[in-house]
Amino acid sequence: MGHNQNFANQDLRDRSFKGKSLIGADFNGSDIRGCDFGGAQLQLANFANVRSGYSQRQLIVNGLITYILALLFAFTAMVIAILLLNFLLCLAIIVFGLGFDYRQMAFNGITLGVVIVYAISFTIAFILACMGGLVTNHRKTIFTVAICLVTAFVEGYLGSGMVKILMGGAFNVIFGFLNTNAWLGSLLLLVIEILQGIGSLYLFRWVISIPRSIVGTKFKQANLTQASFQNAVLVGCDFSQAIVTDVDWQRAQIWGCKLPANFDMTAVKVNPIK
């Protein structure tokens, strides 16, 4: 075996071996988290005792993307709450003829309610997304909850002014419609609410699906004929379309991996990705 084929007991995180010829290469005991072996020739390669899965870089990048998308989802939920609660307030003004004092009290109450909706929406989306793949231990769980609490507090403290501006504009538009034609205004609000709700639902599904699509170590379309993964820890790996003929999986721990269609599920105890 040539020196360039010896990668045993090394930190190889986030390195790319895509398409390379690594026949008989030795990766015994190495950290291959975040590595890309897509399309590589890995016949007879030794991956015994390796540690695979998500690298720190992958978790940070996908965590930031998830955070931003969770904020966007919370904003759409806030818009829905603003439209709905303002509409109800305008109806109450028309039906019950609320005076200015009552209007102001209701307006302030709705502002607080909208801020709470924003914070709760973000928290739910971010936690569900992180639990889907980004959070893998108790320490990261605590960190995730801390991020949610800090974000909810900051947005609640700094976002009330923006909420009042949005609510004031929505209130004026809605109230103008209702004064002109109550039925037309109601129908318009209903259509906007439905469209906004559908868009928000799709965004929510997108937020929570991203972490589930994260791939740690990639073996897609690699040739792993007679390779060895004895005692390997395989987490979040992509083996889709890989050739796994006569691969040694003895005592390997396989969790959350994308497996090829011809994978022998009886050969090793696995928990494949859903």
Side-chain angles (χ1 to χ4, degrees):
M1 182 184 299
H3 177 70
N4 63 335
Q5 300 288 77
N6 184 9
F7 301 96
N9 301 307
Q10 295 184 32
D11 185 350
L12 303 173
R13 285 178 293 180
D14 297 309
R15 286 186 57 175
S16 176
F17 299 92
K18 189 173 183 179
K20 292 186 177 181
S21 178
L22 297 166
I23 300 174
D26 186 9
F27 293 90
N28 180 45
S30 291
D31 188 342
I32 59 172
R33 288 177 293 175
C35 286
D36 187 356
F37 294 95
Q41 300 301 311
L42 295 165
Q43 299 93 317
L44 300 171
N46 181 19
F47 288 96
N49 305 295
V50 296
R51 182 183 181 185
S52 68
Y54 316 112
S55 68
Q56 194 67 24
R57 181 191 302 175
Q58 288 177 316
L59 291 175
I60 291 175
V61 171
N62 286 282
L64 288 174
I65 293 174
T66 300
Y67 182 83
I68 293 172
L69 289 176
L71 288 176
L72 290 176
F73 165 72
F75 181 80
T76 62
M78 181 183 71
V79 171
I80 292 174
I82 288 175
L83 292 173
L84 178 60
L85 294 176
N86 268 288
F87 173 62
L88 294 176
L89 175 59
C90 290
L91 284 181
I93 292 173
I94 293 174
V95 175
F96 301 106
L98 296 181
F100 178 78
D101 292 338
Y102 290 102
R103 295 184 193 183
Q104 192 63 35
M105 289 175 58
F107 191 86
N108 292 334
I110 290 175
T111 300
L112 177 61
V114 168
V115 172
I116 293 175
V117 167
Y118 184 92
I120 292 177
S121 300
F122 167 79
T123 301
I124 292 175
F126 190 65
I127 288 181
L128 287 179
C130 289
M131 293 303 177
L134 296 176
V135 174
T136 56
N137 54 49
H138 294 300
R139 184 179 178 183
K140 290 177 181 177
T141 300
I142 295 173
F143 182 68
T144 300
V145 173
I147 290 177
C148 289
L149 293 176
V150 171
T151 301
F153 175 79
V154 172
E155 294 296 336
Y157 182 76
L158 300 178
S160 58
M162 180 187 69
V163 170
K164 287 184 177 180
I165 294 175
L166 292 174
M167 284 188 56
F171 181 84
N172 291 332
V173 172
I174 295 170
F175 193 63
F177 267 113
L178 291 177
N179 276 335
T180 304
N181 190 318
W183 289 108
L184 178 61
S186 300
L187 181 61
L188 178 63
L189 276 175
L190 179 61
V191 172
I192 294 175
E193 284 286 326
I194 293 174
L195 293 177
Q196 184 69 26
I198 294 173
S200 184
L201 179 60
Y202 272 100
L203 182 57
F204 177 75
R205 293 179 60 183
W206 194 20
V207 172
I208 63 176
S209 67
I210 284 182
R212 290 174 171 82
S213 64
I214 298 174
V215 175
T217 306
K218 303 179 182 68
F219 291 97
K220 186 174 183 178
Q221 297 181 337
N223 190 339
L224 292 163
T225 301
Q226 295 185 337
S228 174
F229 285 92
Q230 287 189 24
N231 300 304
V233 179
L234 304 174
V235 180
C237 298
D238 184 3
F239 288 97
S240 59
Q241 302 177 48
I243 301 174
V244 292
T245 305
D246 297 326
V247 171
D248 186 355
W249 304 100
Q250 289 188 54
R251 296 181 297 279
Q253 301 177 45
I254 304 178
W255 182 85
C257 294
K258 296 180 180 180
L259 303 174
N262 62 338
F263 186 84
D264 185 1
M265 300 293 289
T266 63
V268 63
K269 185 177 181 180
V270 299
N271 184 4
I273 194 169
K274 296 180 180 180

